[in-house]
């Protein structure tokens, strides 16, 4: 049986109408604006302005009517984050921290990289940026170009579908400031927590023999019209490509709340 409402220690009104007759706010006007005790709720209660202290007598939207919805909202506010009903609504989180170390194996010099990250529709970016660009580096010793470009991304997700993929475009710059494509590439973000060393191979469209000849003497060359072809793979089988160099990454991964969805990390 529901606990009756009480004002100043006197039982005046019961939720199911079994006892009492009038609402406490009608007998004691001072009680108007206070919420009387509800079964299972303790501590402070939020006042409802000038409304009646009886939940069933208040008019509002469907979520404000009746005793159960108010008790549930009080329970959630008292539990705080990470307790009780709040746990059911917590989304799984992925934190990607690391850097694009550099690139090696390219015949061109003075390299820079444009990068981005692609996720499925169930993923929401909480902090960080989805794309960026490194500085130009001209190796003095060896063929390794160093960028040390930071990556810091925080995602929330409702499912594993559409796991993040990093995609890259490596470009070279000549002495006149002209840029030409050196390679495309992509790799999946690791799915296990910890620090990972990744090597992402790249490729570039080869084009016809005329385009290859023009690239050798003039520069330039064929490029993709749509950037999503880099990681989608839907139309890549039609392309004639040449192998490029390798992009090196160092990625650290933090996973949170995946155990609530039955995923072992």
């Amino acid at each position: 049986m529901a606990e009756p409402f009480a004002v100043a220690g006197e039982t005046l009104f019961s939720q199911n109408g079994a006892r009492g007759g009038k609402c406490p706010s009608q007998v004691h006007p001072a009680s108007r604006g206070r919420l009387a005790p509800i079964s299972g709720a303790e501590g402070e209660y939020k006042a409802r302005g000038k409304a009646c202290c009886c939940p069933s007598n208040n008019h509002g939207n469907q979520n404000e009517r009746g005793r159960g919805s108010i008790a549930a909202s009080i329970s959630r506010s008292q539990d705080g984050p990470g307790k009780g009903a709040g746990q059911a609504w917590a989304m799984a989180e992925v934190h990607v921290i690391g850097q694009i170390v550099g690139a090696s194996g390219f015949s061109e010099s003075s390299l820079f990289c444009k990068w981005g990250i692609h996720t499925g529709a169930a993923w929401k970016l909480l902090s960080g940026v989805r794309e960026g660009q490194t500085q130009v580096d001209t190796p003095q010793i060896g063929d390794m170009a160093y960028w040390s470009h930071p990556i810091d991304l925080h995602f929330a997700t409702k499912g594993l579908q559409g796991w993040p993929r990093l995609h890259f475009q490596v470009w070279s710059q000549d002495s006149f400031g002209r840029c030409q494509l050196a390679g495309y590439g992509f790799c999946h973000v690791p799915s296990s927590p910890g620090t990972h060393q990744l090597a992402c191979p790249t490729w570039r469209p080869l084009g016809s023999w005329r385009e290859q000849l023009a690239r050798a003497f003039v520069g330039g060359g064929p490029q993709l019209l749509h950037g999503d072809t880099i990681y989608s793979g839907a139309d890549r089988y039609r392309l004639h490509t040449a192998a490029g160099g390798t992009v090196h990454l160092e990625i650290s991964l933090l996973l949170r709340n995946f155990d609530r969805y039955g995923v072992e990390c």
Side-chain angles (χ1 to χ4, degrees):
M1 177 177 177
E3 181 181 344
F5 289 90
V7 175
E10 180 183 0
T11 301
L12 300 175
F13 182 78
S14 176
Q15 176 67 28
N16 57 14
R19 298 178 60 184
K22 295 184 178 181
C23 176
S25 62
Q26 297 174 359
V27 178
H28 297 279
S31 66
R32 186 178 296 272
R34 297 203 307 270
L35 189 63
I38 297 177
S39 177
E42 298 176 359
E44 292 187 7
Y45 301 108
K46 297 181 180 179
R48 298 183 57 88
K50 295 183 179 180
C52 175
C53 67
C54 175
S56 61
N57 292 340
N58 289 315
H59 298 284
N61 57 37
Q62 188 66 25
N63 294 329
E64 294 181 349
R65 296 177 184 173
R67 179 178 178 180
S69 60
I70 297 179
S73 64
I74 294 175
S75 176
R76 286 194 295 269
S77 64
Q78 289 181 344
D79 286 340
K83 296 182 180 180
Q87 291 184 350
W89 298 100
M91 298 176 65
E93 298 179 29
V94 177
H95 205 158
V96 183
I97 308 171
Q99 62 176 335
I100 305 175
V101 178
S104 62
F106 288 92
S107 58
E108 300 86 354
S109 60
S110 300
L111 300 174
F112 66 95
C113 178
K114 298 179 181 179
W115 66 275
I117 191 164
H118 176 78
T119 58
W123 293 70
K124 180 181 179 181
L125 182 65
L126 301 180
S127 64
V129 293
R130 287 187 175 271
E131 57 186 15
Q133 179 176 317
T134 71
Q135 79 280 4
V136 179
D137 184 68
T138 304
Q140 301 297 319
I141 300 176
D143 65 345
M144 180 73 177
Y146 289 94
W147 296 316
S148 300
H149 183 82
I151 295 176
D152 192 346
L153 301 164
H154 188 190
F155 290 99
T157 179
K158 299 178 181 178
L160 297 178
Q161 189 174 6
W163 193 265
R165 289 173 284 185
L166 287 163
H167 53 89
F168 307 97
Q169 299 181 31
V170 180
W171 294 75
S172 65
Q173 188 179 73
D174 62 14
S175 58
F176 299 101
R178 297 176 300 182
C179 300
Q180 70 176 13
L181 179 70
Y184 295 110
F186 87 96
C187 63
H188 285 86
V189 172
S191 57
S192 59
T195 301
H196 307 267
Q197 306 290 335
L198 304 179
C200 176
T202 63
W203 52 270
R204 61 176 178 83
L206 198 56
S208 63
W209 68 270
R210 295 178 184 272
E211 292 172 325
Q212 297 178 46
L213 190 62
R215 174 184 171 85
F217 289 97
V218 183
Q223 303 174 20
L224 297 177
L225 292 176
H226 306 286
D228 56 356
T229 307
I230 301 173
Y231 51 82
S232 65
D235 297 320
R236 277 210 313 265
Y237 70 94
R238 301 180 182 180
L239 300 174
H240 296 280
T241 63
T246 303
V247 177
H248 302 276
L249 302 99
E250 183 178 298
I251 299 294
S252 297
L253 208 69
L254 301 175
L255 305 181
R256 183 185 181 193
N257 296 334
F258 276 86
D259 54 338
R260 299 178 183 176
Y261 297 90
V263 179
E264 295 184 0
C265 300

